[in-house]
Amino acid sequence: QVQLVESGGGLVQAGGSLRLSCVASGRTYSIYGMGWFRQAPGAEREFVAAISRSGSNTYYADSVKGRFTISRDNAKNTVYLQMNSLKPEDTAVYYCAARHGVATTTPRYDYWGQGTQVTVSS
């Protein structure tokens, strides 16, 4: 079993930055792909970013390309999401995800974090 614990959310002004962290514990050796998803009130969960096990391959939603960067440190069992140039449209609950397979832009992940709120004011 794998547990994911997120941190780093908060309230920021438009144009500001935040870095989200997600620490995995348990059977972390079996984790390959990891990703970030977000869900705004009244909306469906949407893909944000994903990263391969080695970190060599990354994938981003068009809405965040050039602004967000996903990375991971397997020695620390941690995945990060650096968010720059934040917009009010980025306001959502952000979820960390992990799976026993390659990274995917779909929500086909085996484990999910509790979510962390990101609010961007205008």
Side-chain angles (χ1 to χ4, degrees):
Q1 191 65 29
V2 175
Q3 296 81 44
L4 305 175
V5 179
E6 298 151 303
S7 62
L11 173 64
V12 298
Q13 294 180 325
S17 299
L18 281 175
R19 189 174 81 151
L20 306 183
S21 298
C22 174
V23 180
S25 61
R27 299 177 62 183
T28 57
Y29 71 91
S30 65
I31 294 175
Y32 280 71
M34 297 191 72
W36 289 93
F37 293 76
R38 67 187 183 187
Q39 187 167 22
E44 294 186 346
R45 188 196 307 116
E46 67 176 356
F47 167 76
V48 176
I51 189 168
S52 63
R53 191 183 191 185
S54 68
S56 297
N57 299 318
T58 57
Y59 312 90
Y60 298 94
D62 289 341
S63 59
V64 306
K65 284 182 179 178
R67 300 188 298 119
F68 291 10
T69 302
I70 188 171
S71 61
R72 68 192 296 172
D73 185 341
N74 291 337
K76 297 181 178 180
N77 298 315
T78 302
V79 63
Y80 305 94
L81 185 68
Q82 178 67 47
M83 305 185 293
N84 298 326
S85 302
L86 283 163
K87 305 175 181 179
E89 308 92 271
D90 296 318
T91 296
V93 176
Y94 283 70
Y95 297 92
C96 175
R99 70 191 306 262
H100 300 298
V102 297
T104 177
T105 61
T106 71
R108 297 180 62 183
Y109 284 78
D110 301 301
Y111 309 99
W112 296 85
Q114 78 286 354
T116 184
Q117 177 70 47
V118 172
T119 302
V120 184
S121 64
S122 60

